[in-house]
Amino acid sequence: KNEVEQSPQNLTAQEGEFITINCSYSVGISALHWLQQHPGGGIVSLFMLSSGKKKHGRLIATINIQEKHSSLHITASHPRDSAVYICAAETSGSRLTFGEGTQLTVNP
Amino acid sequence: DAGVTQSPTHLIKTRGQHVTLRCSPISGHKSVSWYQQVLGQGPQFIFQYYEKEERGRGNFPDRFSARQFPNYSSELNVNALLLGDSALYLCASSSTGQETQYFGPGTRLLVL
């Protein structure tokens, strides 16, 4: 069993839909990261959170420390949101352990 | 300001060869981390360096080594390349290694 698991692996949505990607982790963490990876490999950090909820534009990230679970929500999804979304758990020594990623495709 | 830069962008090698990948962190960042991402999988942690000292090492064989220079740039070296070393190698920098990491575009290595 991976230390960080994401679901779903693949997600297809229509433009405008509300999207949720889930992340569960089994290790003790100092922070939980959500990252976006576009075709070609470039990775952008979206959120780093250790408690509660953060919002940036149409993106919302939440974390429940007791349940070791985090979610990434995208409101009013758009085709340009199509990318791989990766959850990563930051453990001791600032090491990141990554999930397998969720491939999101938003169709117009 | 320039972000994290990596070179080369693409590289093709044959089994048994050696490769050196380079990373320049964001100006002022003293921590560099290296990750390997095999196609279809999430990245795997290889090394973290801070102030030229190795701070962490992932579960990779001794064929993988790295170093950080006084200007905080870093090199990742892989000896005796195997087909399975084909991957995207990502470098990330942060100020102290204790906060958000900023990723470079990666070096795509293909071993034939």
Side-chain angles (χ1 to χ4, degrees):
Chain A
K1 185 170 164 48
N2 293 334
E3 291 178 320
V4 179
E5 295 204 333
Q6 289 184 233
S7 63
Q9 283 187 304
N10 294 281
L11 182 56
T12 300
Q14 288 301 121
E15 184 173 356
E17 287 185 356
F18 179 84
I19 287 162
T20 296
I21 300 171
N22 295 300
C23 175
S24 296
Y25 54 92
S26 58
V27 294
I29 67 168
S30 52
L32 192 289
H33 297 251
W34 281 100
L35 308 158
Q36 180 192 57
Q37 186 171 32
H38 280 281
I43 290 181
V44 174
S45 179
L46 299 174
F47 294 104
M48 181 176 74
L49 64 165
S50 53
S51 65
K53 176 179 173 179
K54 286 191 176 180
K55 184 175 189 292
H56 182 72
R58 296 180 295 106
L59 302 178
I60 303 167
T62 64
I63 188 168
N64 184 317
I65 298 295
Q66 287 73 30
E67 295 186 3
K68 295 190 172 181
H69 180 269
S70 176
S71 293
L72 176 69
H73 305 284
I74 304 175
T75 61
S77 59
H78 190 275
R80 65 174 174 266
D81 297 327
S82 298
V84 175
Y85 292 84
I86 305 173
C87 161
E90 181 177 335
T91 56
S92 61
S94 304
R95 179 177 303 193
L96 291 182
T97 301
F98 293 80
E100 298 279 317
T102 294
Q103 173 69 61
L104 171 65
T105 303
V106 182
N107 294 317
Chain B
D1 281 341
V4 178
T5 59
Q6 291 185 243
S7 63
T9 55
H10 295 80
L11 199 52
I12 300 175
K13 292 285 190 177
T14 56
R15 281 179 296 176
Q17 285 190 311
H18 158 269
V19 69
T20 297
L21 310 181
R22 296 178 176 83
C23 171
S24 292
I26 290 173
S27 177
H29 284 190
K30 298 180 180 179
S31 177
V32 170
S33 298
W34 286 96
Y35 300 89
Q36 179 198 63
Q37 186 177 25
V38 173
L39 191 65
Q41 298 181 17
Q44 298 287 320
F45 172 77
I46 311 175
F47 288 109
Q48 185 186 41
Y49 276 78
Y50 176 68
E51 289 276 19
K52 294 165 285 182
E53 298 287 328
E54 182 181 300
R55 179 181 268 183
R57 169 187 278 260
N59 188 23
F60 280 80
D62 292 343
R63 298 185 295 109
F64 288 76
S65 64
R67 55 181 175 166
Q68 187 177 31
F69 298 99
N71 67 354
Y72 303 112
S73 66
S74 178
E75 282 183 354
L76 175 70
N77 295 284
V78 187
N79 293 323
L81 285 167
L82 302 174
L83 296 180
D85 295 330
S86 297
L88 178 68
Y89 288 85
L90 294 159
C91 168
S93 79
S94 63
S95 183
T96 65
Q98 304 285 341
E99 66 294 294
T100 299
Q101 295 187 29
Y102 295 85
F103 286 81
T107 293
R108 197 166 293 279
L109 172 65
L110 177 62
V111 182
L112 300 175

